[in-house]
Amino acid sequence: MIDQLLNKTKWQIIFLAGVIFILYFRTLSNEFIGLDEQSLLIGKKNFNKELSNIPKAFSQHVFQTENYTETPGTIKFYRPLLTVSFILDSQFSGEKFVFFHFSNMLFHFLAVIGLLFVLLQLTNYPPLAFLFSLLFAVHPLLTQAICWIPGRNDSLVCLFVLWSFYFLLKYFQHQSSRNLFFHFLFFIAALFTKENAVMFFILCLFTLVFLQGKQLHFKKKIIITVFYFSFILIWYSMKRKVAGEMLTDSSLSILYYSFLKNIPLMLQYFQKTILPINLSVMASVQDTNYGWVMTALFLFGAGIYFTKNIPWKEIIFGLLWFFLFLLPTLLFSYFEGMEHRSYLPAIGILIAISFLEPVQKLLKNQKRLICIFGTIILIFSFITITRLSVFSSEYNYWKNAAETSEHSAVVCRDYGVMLTKLGDYQNAEKAFLEGIKRNPKETLIHYNLGVMYFKLHRYEEAKKQLAQELEINSNNFMVYHVMGVIYNQQKRTEEAAMMWEQSVAINPNFQESYKELLSYYAQKKDTANFLRCKNELEKIKINFRR
């Protein structure tokens, strides 16, 4: 039975499916955790219900909704196939999102099988391919990508990349136009799923030149390369039309600085792939444990040292995979070390390790293999099981984030928001103030503290916090709206109206400020402004119905 499992692909697929289902079936009843679900699922619920909106997904950025108003500095992501996946899931879902969670499990399974087939092509050794795929299936670092619905962005792009790479490797063997067609098809799908897929073509070129493309005629290599650039050009043109130009001359220095600043997070991901210790759902640069990082680097270096004929090409390929797919994320200055981002890069580390001689020697001794790999997989599975509850609710998620990230202001902000919802104002205030202590310029932290003070009728403290939020972001229309409500409560109605006018000047689709203005101008018997606001409100409602 063990021999069949280690060598028969059919049994391996069945076993992997069973393990993933047993491990993750509890996630089917997960609640939202208070991140992108509001924008991607709740805010776009009506949009996602219509199959006819699939073409529209390719002409708008991922967070765009009916009432969306662009504000300066907003980063727009072009990920149409992520939106398409939500549209398809919505056809089978009612008020609850059980099918969305099932799809996340399915995408993880398809990515694991993709890895199995890729490793079979690279190593030509079924036991090694199966065990490393099983390791990936249960790895605790990847839990967030499966348990959190929007985390599928990384498992989706991963499965497209893996299957594209598999068909490329098959093409090297048989040079079948069918294999090349599916390679390009999945390559295009990856591009339209997440931006970091654009780095995949570099790995494909590396494979063409250094790994398995030697038998191809030079002319074919050129033709394949031309296709890569053509597809990327088409994708980039569509992306630029929707999301605009993200890179400017002035931003290059910012990108360079951001990369240098985020290098510790890259080291974190490397360490957590090899040693899933010190896990955190939202780590910061300062949370990097260099002791564990050095341990992971030592273990990886020792594996290379004890390999007689070092397969440098395969090791470099694996490390390139890890670095290139992580690089776009590291270029953002506003970046928290959320673990779902390691889903695709982690495969590069596994590929590199699979070619180390100590690992391959271990696989030739079945008893030792079962003992060591079995122990590692059981430990990884146990850690994963213990982490599932972290993603079961918003409270559990932010409580864990606050406990495991000692330096992040974002964690304090969102933990405070969650405690405010629960009515625990005392601890919410402590969380907000701790976040301000960590980073006084963190966006929205002053705003949320101000809103909480407003609810407690501590108006002067609320206005002070809201004013500080405007110093950070003067285009936050919600700040002006809340300020208007506070002034209105204090019977300073003219100042309140000025705030609401400023709010709709920034966001002309914000209905709440228009409603307050209607009431104000009605009391003032200002017919002209009353009709103006009424007409604007009618336009918003008409556009919303469309």
Side-chain angles (χ1 to χ4, degrees):
M1 181 63 184
I2 293 177
D3 286 337
Q4 283 188 327
L5 188 59
L6 291 176
N7 293 282
K8 299 292 184 181
T9 303
K10 178 181 74 173
W11 290 107
Q12 291 172 350
I13 293 174
I14 294 171
F15 187 84
L16 289 168
V19 166
I20 291 170
F21 179 77
I22 291 170
L23 201 60
Y24 285 106
F25 81 95
R26 284 170 49 195
T27 67
L28 294 175
S29 59
N30 277 12
E31 301 172 10
F32 288 168
I33 60 175
L35 288 171
D36 293 337
E37 299 99 331
Q38 183 61 41
S39 301
L40 297 174
L41 302 177
I42 303 301
K44 299 182 73 170
K45 191 172 184 179
N46 293 331
F47 180 89
N48 291 338
K49 278 291 182 182
E50 299 296 331
L51 275 173
S52 59
N53 284 330
I54 287 179
K56 292 182 182 178
F58 290 84
S59 60
Q60 62 183 40
H61 64 84
V62 72
F63 291 113
Q64 192 164 330
T65 59
E66 292 93 338
N67 283 348
Y68 176 81
T69 301
E70 184 179 343
T71 55
T74 301
I75 297 176
K76 294 177 284 188
F77 298 104
Y78 185 59
R79 299 169 180 179
L81 286 187
L82 175 64
T83 302
V84 170
S85 77
F86 293 144
I87 292 174
L88 295 176
D89 279 354
S90 295
Q91 309 310 306
F92 305 96
S93 300
E95 292 301 315
K96 296 187 177 181
F97 290 84
V98 174
F99 197 84
F100 286 76
H101 286 294
F102 174 77
S103 293
N104 272 32
M105 290 171 54
L106 177 62
F107 296 144
H108 181 51
F109 168 70
L110 294 174
V112 169
I113 301 306
L115 178 60
L116 173 68
F117 278 74
V118 165
L119 288 175
L120 283 171
Q121 290 295 315
L122 288 175
T123 66
N124 198 30
Y125 194 33
L128 184 148
F130 168 66
L131 289 171
F132 272 83
S133 299
L134 180 57
L135 200 65
F136 184 77
V138 304
H139 203 298
L141 181 60
L142 313 179
T143 308
Q144 187 165 4
I146 301 106
C147 297
W148 177 48
I149 293 174
R152 69 170 59 175
N153 207 21
D154 292 272
S155 54
L156 263 177
V157 71
C158 182
L159 76 88
F160 289 141
V161 165
L162 285 170
W163 283 102
S164 176
F165 191 54
Y166 166 73
F167 282 108
L168 178 64
L169 297 175
K170 289 284 289 183
Y171 176 71
F172 292 152
Q173 288 182 349
H174 307 294
Q175 297 189 28
S176 160
S177 57
R178 173 180 173 274
N179 289 325
L180 193 60
F181 169 79
F182 282 109
H183 164 63
F184 286 141
L185 180 66
F186 284 112
F187 179 86
I188 294 168
L191 286 175
F192 284 93
T193 302
K194 191 174 181 181
E195 294 81 358
N196 65 343
V198 74
M199 312 303 287
F200 180 43
F201 90 97
I202 299 176
L203 294 169
C204 293
L205 294 180
F206 185 95
T207 307
L208 276 172
V209 177
F210 297 108
L211 290 182
Q212 298 193 14
K214 293 181 180 179
Q215 62 269 41
L216 282 183
H217 191 274
F218 180 75
K219 185 178 179 180
K220 287 187 177 180
K221 292 181 181 180
I222 294 297
I223 293 173
I224 291 173
T225 303
V226 169
F227 270 106
Y228 288 145
F229 282 102
S230 300
F231 295 141
I232 290 172
L233 183 62
I234 293 170
W235 163 79
Y236 182 74
S237 298
M238 294 176 68
K239 173 186 171 297
R240 186 178 182 184
K241 184 178 180 181
V242 171
E245 181 62 75
M246 293 185 68
L247 291 180
T248 62
D249 292 338
S250 60
S251 67
L252 292 177
S253 59
I254 297 174
L255 294 177
Y256 176 70
Y257 169 77
S258 299
F259 171 73
L260 293 180
K261 181 175 72 72
N262 290 324
I263 284 176
L265 287 170
M266 180 175 65
L267 296 176
Q268 276 191 45
Y269 286 135
F270 180 88
Q271 170 252 304
K272 292 175 182 179
T273 302
I274 296 175
L275 294 171
I277 298 169
N278 199 36
L279 298 174
S280 174
V281 295
M282 194 171 282
S284 65
V285 169
Q286 293 83 359
D287 292 325
T288 306
N289 187 313
Y290 290 99
W292 288 120
V293 169
M294 294 305 295
T295 303
L297 289 170
F298 172 80
L299 290 173
F300 187 76
I304 295 176
Y305 179 79
F306 288 107
T307 300
K308 292 181 180 179
N309 298 313
I310 301 174
W312 284 114
K313 292 179 182 178
E314 287 78 6
I315 291 173
I316 291 171
F317 174 80
L319 293 177
L320 265 179
W321 182 298
F322 172 76
F323 174 75
L324 289 174
F325 284 125
L326 198 57
L327 179 61
T329 305
L330 298 175
L331 296 179
F332 285 100
S333 57
Y334 184 82
F335 170 58
E336 297 290 332
M338 297 174 70
E339 291 168 352
H340 68 93
R341 295 186 175 113
S342 65
Y343 193 98
L344 179 54
I347 286 175
I349 303 299
L350 296 181
I351 290 174
I353 292 174
S354 69
F355 281 94
L356 298 180
E357 192 173 312
V359 173
Q360 297 193 344
K361 280 185 177 180
L362 179 65
L363 293 171
K364 294 177 181 178
N365 187 323
Q366 193 173 93
K367 289 183 179 179
R368 190 179 296 177
L369 168 71
I370 295 171
C371 180
I372 295 177
F373 255 89
T375 301
I376 293 172
I377 288 167
L378 285 174
I379 291 172
F380 278 23
S381 299
F382 176 77
I383 298 173
T384 296
I385 290 170
T386 60
R387 286 179 60 75
L388 293 181
S389 61
V390 172
F391 303 94
S392 62
S393 69
E394 184 177 0
Y395 176 79
N396 287 348
Y397 181 86
W398 291 110
K399 184 174 183 290
N400 178 268
E403 291 172 348
T404 57
S405 182
E406 299 178 359
H407 303 90
S408 172
V410 174
V411 165
C412 295
R413 179 196 69 196
D414 292 341
Y415 187 44
V417 171
M418 187 272 305
L419 291 171
T420 301
K421 290 179 184 178
L422 297 176
D424 188 354
Y425 298 119
Q426 185 177 357
N427 285 317
E429 182 179 22
K430 289 179 181 178
F432 287 133
L433 292 175
E434 175 61 26
I436 292 171
K437 180 181 176 182
R438 294 179 184 184
N439 182 9
K441 295 185 177 182
E442 182 61 55
T443 56
L444 296 179
I445 195 164
H446 293 284
Y447 166 75
N448 284 293
L449 179 56
V451 170
M452 192 198 76
Y453 284 149
F454 164 69
K455 290 180 179 179
L456 297 173
H457 305 291
R458 294 159 63 175
Y459 296 139
E460 294 307 315
E461 291 172 278
K463 287 191 291 185
K464 180 181 177 182
Q465 292 299 325
L466 294 171
Q468 290 185 56
E469 183 67 37
L470 289 177
E471 290 178 8
I472 299 168
N473 178 14
S474 60
N475 289 304
N476 189 329
F477 64 92
M478 282 299 300
V479 174
Y480 290 105
H481 178 76
V482 177
M483 289 277 276
V485 175
I486 293 173
Y487 283 129
N488 196 46
Q489 290 285 336
Q490 296 177 323
K491 310 299 182 184
R492 297 162 63 178
T493 55
E494 290 186 6
E495 291 171 277
M498 289 174 61
M499 292 294 106
W500 294 324
E501 289 286 7
Q502 184 64 34
S503 174
V504 296
I506 296 171
N507 185 355
N509 292 319
F510 188 54
Q511 298 183 46
E512 296 305 314
S513 287
Y514 273 121
K515 289 176 183 178
E516 296 289 354
L517 286 169
L518 275 177
S519 177
Y520 170 76
Y521 289 126
Q523 291 175 6
K524 288 288 184 180
K525 297 182 179 180
D526 186 340
T527 306
N529 280 315
F530 177 84
L531 291 175
R532 172 179 61 85
C533 292
K534 184 180 179 181
N535 289 335
E536 290 297 330
L537 198 55
E538 286 295 328
K539 288 179 185 177
I540 294 169
K541 290 179 179 179
I542 291 170
N543 289 333
F544 182 77
R545 284 194 293 269
R546 285 176 182 173

